[in-house]
């Protein structure tokens, strides 16, 4: 059985995940990505439930640096599939292997990737460990997209879940910095603290990581705020001191006295 909606379906072995095969295809002439269970898991109710749950968890996510899910449907010859936006491009792993990581890529890891992780944590979503393999830079435009971003949603995340994100982010950042020879002191300091052997010395949450990565601009802001407050304090003290300008009072003029005139004087 064929379905004219689907054309140019191609398996992407290098994108495959532990339980899934990944395809690129056109639906009604528009490029999309397809995620479906590997054949050995396809008929197992446990894994069928797993892919359905992943669709439910991820369908409502909306973030510019997370691959968006569009549909969940049966595709002839492939099976039940999660359909996502087209994010075809190069994984961070491939760029590292080929020595093609640029400063622009590092900047996106510093900003967009942290924003995406903060967003996922704010939604209390459990996801596979962050790795260079699930960080994609899209073809042509080069936007950062995080794939394989969630399989369960909880009322809240455990400390261990958020700590794992921080540690794995530090591992990715360390590998990239070492591979490129980047010596940026802020990035190096953040990477070291994220992966500190003593968990108590690591950052508490991704927000702390974000603030640490913005260290220079944050420090400048703090200096400006403190300087402004000190200036206001000095101004208040000066205005209350004897040296402050005194208000100028105009001389009081009294109305000229009018001589009492009695009727006898008229």
């Amino acid at each position: 059985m064929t379905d004219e909606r689907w054309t140019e379906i191609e398996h992407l072995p290098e994108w495959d995940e532990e339980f899934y095969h990944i395809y690129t295809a056109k639906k009604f002439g528009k490029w999309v990505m397809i995620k479906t269970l590997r054949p050995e898991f396809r008929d197992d109710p446990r894994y069928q439930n797993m892919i359905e749950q992943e669709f439910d968890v991820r369908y409502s996510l909306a973030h510019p640096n997370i691959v968006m899910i569009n549909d969940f449907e049966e595709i002839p010859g492939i099976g039940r599939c999660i359909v996502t936006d087209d994010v075809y491009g190069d994984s961070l792993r491939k760029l590292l292997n080929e020595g093609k990581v640029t400063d622009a890529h590092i900047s996106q890891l510093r900003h967009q990737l942290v924003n995406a992780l903060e967003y996922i944590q704010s939604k209390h979503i459990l996801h596979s460990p962050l790795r260079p393999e699930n960080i994609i830079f899209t073809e042509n435009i080069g936007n950062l997209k995080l794939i394989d971003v969630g399989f369960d949603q909880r009322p809240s995340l455990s400390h261990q879940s958020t700590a794992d994100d921080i540690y794995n982010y530090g591992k990715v950042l360390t590998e990239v910095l070492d591979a490129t020879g980047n010596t940026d002191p802020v990035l190096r300091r953040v990477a070291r603290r994220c992966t500190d052997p003593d968990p108590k010395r690591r950052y508490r949450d991704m927000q702390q990581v974000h603030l640490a990565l913005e260290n220079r601009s944050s420090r400048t802001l703090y200096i400006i705020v403190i300087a402004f407050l000190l200036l206001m304090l000095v101004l208040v003290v000066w205005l209350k001191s004897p040296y402050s300008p005194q208000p100028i009072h105009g001389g009081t003029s009294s109305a000229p006295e009018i001589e009492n005139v009695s009727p006898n004087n008229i």
Side-chain angles (χ1 to χ4, degrees):
M1 179 179 177
T2 60
D3 189 332
E4 294 180 355
R5 296 177 303 166
W6 293 97
T7 57
E8 301 187 47
I9 299 175
E10 180 184 353
H11 181 211
L12 303 175
E14 69 275 15
W15 285 55
D16 283 347
E17 300 171 12
E18 183 178 3
F19 303 107
Y20 300 105
H21 279 168
I22 308 298
Y23 295 80
T24 182
K26 281 185 177 180
K27 181 180 181 181
F28 294 119
K30 177 184 177 181
W31 285 107
V32 295
M33 305 290 282
I34 301 169
K35 179 174 185 174
T36 189
L37 289 170
R38 291 173 178 264
E40 60 267 33
F41 305 122
R42 194 169 295 165
D43 297 324
D44 189 323
R46 294 173 300 173
Y47 295 102
Q48 291 172 352
N49 180 69
M50 182 181 70
I51 191 172
E52 290 173 5
Q53 184 176 1
E54 180 169 342
F55 171 78
D56 290 339
V57 167
R58 294 179 55 187
Y59 185 69
S60 62
L61 297 183
H63 190 279
N65 302 112
I66 294 175
V67 60
M68 305 301 296
I69 287 182
N70 299 325
D71 210 344
F72 187 47
E73 62 180 283
E74 186 78 26
I75 300 178
I78 297 180
R80 198 75 168 146
C81 301
I82 291 175
V83 182
T84 76
D85 288 343
D86 176 33
V87 289
Y88 187 77
D90 294 326
S91 69
L92 178 58
R93 170 59 63 210
K94 181 178 179 182
L95 293 173
L96 284 167
N97 291 344
E98 297 178 355
K100 294 182 179 179
V101 177
T102 67
D103 289 343
H105 294 131
I106 295 175
S107 177
Q108 291 183 78
L109 296 174
R110 181 176 190 161
H111 301 290
Q112 285 91 334
L113 180 56
V114 174
N115 288 337
L117 291 171
E118 276 191 284
Y119 176 79
I120 293 170
Q121 289 189 357
S122 74
K123 298 296 183 180
H124 306 152
I125 292 176
L126 297 179
H127 59 93
S128 300
L130 180 70
R131 301 173 297 128
E133 286 78 6
N134 52 29
I135 301 168
I136 304 297
F137 294 93
T138 59
E139 192 174 43
N140 299 325
I141 300 177
N143 288 336
L144 183 148
K145 294 285 185 177
L146 193 56
I147 63 174
D148 195 17
V149 296
F151 54 82
D152 196 9
Q153 191 168 26
R154 302 288 174 85
S156 63
L157 290 180
S158 67
H159 173 72
Q160 188 60 50
S161 294
T162 56
D164 287 346
D165 279 347
I166 293 169
Y167 180 78
N168 290 324
Y169 175 77
K171 283 181 60 179
V172 169
L173 191 56
T174 298
E175 183 174 359
V176 169
L177 295 177
D178 288 346
T180 59
N182 189 299
T183 58
D184 184 297
V186 174
L187 294 177
R188 286 285 178 180
R189 183 168 62 250
V190 169
R192 282 196 302 271
R193 185 169 173 185
C194 285
T195 56
D196 194 294
D198 182 359
K200 295 180 181 179
R201 295 173 60 89
R202 299 174 193 162
Y203 297 105
R204 183 178 65 253
D205 51 40
M206 288 306 302
Q207 186 176 26
Q208 276 198 339
V209 176
H210 200 162
L211 289 174
L213 288 167
E214 299 299 327
N215 180 62
R216 287 174 292 185
S217 58
S218 297
R219 183 185 303 160
T220 301
L221 177 62
Y222 295 150
I223 291 173
I224 292 173
V225 170
I226 291 172
F228 175 77
L229 292 175
L230 288 174
L231 179 61
M232 291 298 100
L233 179 61
V234 169
L235 181 60
V236 169
V237 171
W238 179 62
L239 288 175
K240 291 185 176 182
S241 73
Y243 303 102
S244 65
Q246 300 300 314
I248 299 175
H249 300 288
T252 58
S253 59
S254 57
E257 293 184 0
I258 300 177
E259 184 179 357
N260 290 332
V261 179
S262 68
N264 294 330
N265 293 331
I266 298 179

